[in-house]
């Protein structure tokens, strides 16, 4: 069982996928209330399917329907027919055999189900015992028939890909001010807010950092004030980072601004060197 399907009791936005990034980056949102995930590359990391199942339930406060399967559509079928084998699931269950590729319309799959029942198919398992060929499926049910055949017999049909691009080795975050800032204390507060946001993003993409560079871009001149913090213990706890960085950065910024005749700062940037979690 390498795929899971989560169906929610209410309509959810696509951004709800963010909640499940700690399980796997290979997620797919199908409106209006379904999320599917591929765990083939992360199963060893979590230890077992039971651990992943428990984590899925912990990430959401309300009751979820969770199904498992050898493909996204088999996982969705398991959501609606939990603890039942394919031989126990009626052909009518094809309504919930969608996965990444929803049926074009309800009437098309209803017609397909009615024809299969007339042909003597009673369970999903019967479709594997007495398979129709691709040409016959396409002739009988056009696009729906082609999709049905691929879902049943093509193990690589429409695999889930990661929701975000491959992770770079560096992560940069910027903040531009509407006007020039001269107050060092205000700048330090802005940096701490930006650092918190940066660490939260790094946590979501399942990376850590032990090197942070803070850069202040001065107004009117092409000059920067930078401070890099090396060999910091990798962590995502903002308050621990703040204790280390804030006093050192405050002293460095105050001295540097004095040297530059108290010029203001136009914008700030935080750059983090990324590494995998140990």
């Amino acid at each position: 069982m390498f795929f899971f399907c989560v169906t929610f009791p209410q309509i959810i936005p696509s951004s709800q996928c963010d909640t499940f990034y700690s399980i796997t980056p290979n997620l797919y949102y199908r409106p209006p209330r379904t999320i599917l995930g591929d765990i083939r590359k992360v199963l060893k990391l979590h230890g077992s399917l039971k651990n992943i199942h428990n984590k899925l339930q912990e990430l959401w406060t309300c009751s979820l329907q969770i199904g498992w399967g050898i493909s996204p559509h088999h996982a969705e079928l398991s959501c609606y027919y939990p603890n039942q084998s394919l031989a126990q699931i009626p052909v009518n269950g094809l309504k919930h055999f969608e996965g990444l590729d929803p049926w074009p319309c309800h009437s098309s799959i209803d017609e397909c189900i009615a024809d299969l029942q007339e042909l003597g198919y009673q369970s999903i398992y019967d479709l594997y015992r007495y398979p129709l060929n691709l040409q016959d499926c396409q002739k009988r049910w056009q696009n729906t028939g082609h999709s049905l055949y691929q879902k049943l017999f093509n193990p690589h049909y429409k695999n889930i890909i990661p929701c975000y691009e491959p992770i770079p080795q560096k992560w940069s975050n910027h903040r531009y001010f509407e006007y020039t800032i001269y107050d060092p204390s205000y700048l330090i507060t802005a940096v701490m807010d930006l650092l918190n946001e940066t660490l939260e993003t790094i946590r979501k993409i399942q990376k850590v950092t032990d090197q942070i560079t803070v850069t202040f871009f001065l107004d009117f001149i092409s000059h920067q004030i930078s401070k890099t913090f090396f060999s910091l213990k990798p962590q995502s706890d903002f308050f621990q980072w703040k204790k280390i960085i804030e006093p050192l950065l405050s002293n460095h910024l105050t001295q540097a601004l004095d040297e530059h005749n108290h010029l203001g700062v136009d914008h700030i940037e935080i750059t983090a060197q990324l590494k995998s979690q140990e």
Side-chain angles (χ1 to χ4, degrees):
M1 303 297 181
F2 298 116
F3 295 86
F4 67 79
C5 175
V6 177
T7 57
F8 295 79
Q10 73 281 347
I11 294 175
I12 61 166
S14 60
S15 59
Q16 199 56 60
C17 274
D18 294 355
T19 307
F20 299 97
Y21 277 155
S22 60
I23 303 292
T24 175
N26 289 29
L27 297 170
Y28 182 86
Y29 167 71
R30 201 189 74 219
R33 57 191 189 96
T34 302
I35 291 179
L36 301 123
D38 181 347
I39 60 167
R40 287 175 292 182
K41 293 183 178 180
V42 299
L43 181 56
K44 288 185 178 180
L45 177 66
H46 294 288
S48 67
L49 288 176
K50 182 178 180 181
N51 290 341
I52 297 177
H53 188 92
N54 292 338
K55 289 179 181 178
L56 288 170
Q57 292 180 317
E58 291 170 1
L59 288 171
W60 197 256
T61 55
C62 65
S63 177
L64 297 175
Q65 286 181 288
I66 303 173
W68 300 91
I70 57 175
S71 68
H73 31 283
H74 282 93
E76 183 175 8
L77 191 65
S78 176
C79 262
Y80 292 91
Y81 297 92
N83 303 317
Q84 294 189 43
S85 67
L86 294 180
Q88 296 172 306
I89 301 175
V91 172
N92 194 52
L94 289 176
K95 292 179 180 180
H96 307 296
F97 200 63
E98 296 187 286
L100 310 187
D101 187 21
W103 301 122
C105 60
H106 290 298
S107 60
S108 65
I109 190 59
D110 287 342
E111 178 185 346
C112 180
I113 290 170
D115 289 348
L116 287 170
Q117 289 172 335
E118 285 187 10
L119 292 171
Y121 291 90
Q122 298 301 315
S123 70
I124 301 294
Y125 180 64
D126 288 343
L127 296 170
Y128 291 97
R129 291 180 65 194
Y130 312 106
L132 297 170
N133 60 50
L134 176 59
Q135 291 74 21
D136 195 15
C137 288
Q138 289 177 322
K139 183 179 180 180
R140 287 176 179 273
W141 308 296
Q142 292 77 48
N143 291 338
T144 301
H146 175 81
S147 180
L148 174 61
Y149 183 88
Q150 294 295 337
K151 290 177 183 181
L152 287 169
F153 303 112
N154 184 351
H156 304 294
Y157 182 61
K158 294 198 174 182
N159 284 328
I160 298 173
I161 60 174
C163 283
Y164 48 75
E165 297 297 321
I167 305 304
Q169 296 304 307
K170 290 184 179 180
W171 188 276
S172 296
N173 209 352
H174 299 259
R175 179 175 175 186
Y176 292 86
F177 299 113
E178 294 183 4
Y179 49 86
T180 303
I181 304 298
Y182 297 91
D183 182 4
S185 62
Y186 182 92
L187 291 169
I188 295 300
T189 299
V191 166
M192 292 301 109
D193 290 342
L194 193 62
L195 176 62
N196 189 19
E197 179 184 315
T198 301
L199 292 177
E200 180 66 18
T201 301
I202 292 173
R203 183 191 65 78
K204 284 184 178 180
I205 61 176
Q206 300 180 28
K207 295 285 183 176
V208 293
T209 180
D210 60 358
Q211 180 180 325
I212 289 281
T213 299
V214 180
T215 304
F216 300 89
F217 294 84
L218 300 182
D219 196 20
F220 299 123
I221 63 172
S222 57
H223 193 82
Q224 305 167 8
I225 299 172
S226 293
K227 178 68 173 178
T228 301
F229 300 89
F230 297 98
S231 303
L232 297 171
K233 182 180 179 181
Q235 55 187 295
S236 59
D237 187 342
F238 166 67
F239 295 103
Q240 292 298 322
W241 278 93
K242 185 176 181 180
K243 289 179 182 178
I244 299 170
I245 291 177
E246 189 170 28
L248 298 175
L249 189 59
S250 180
N251 292 334
H252 179 76
L253 176 61
T254 300
Q255 293 175 7
L257 289 177
D258 287 343
E259 294 173 2
H260 290 89
N261 299 317
H262 302 284
L263 286 173
V265 173
D266 183 60
H267 73 279
I268 55 179
E269 176 189 62
I270 289 180
T271 302
Q273 293 283 347
L274 300 182
K275 58 191 294 187
S276 299
Q277 293 179 350
E278 298 179 354

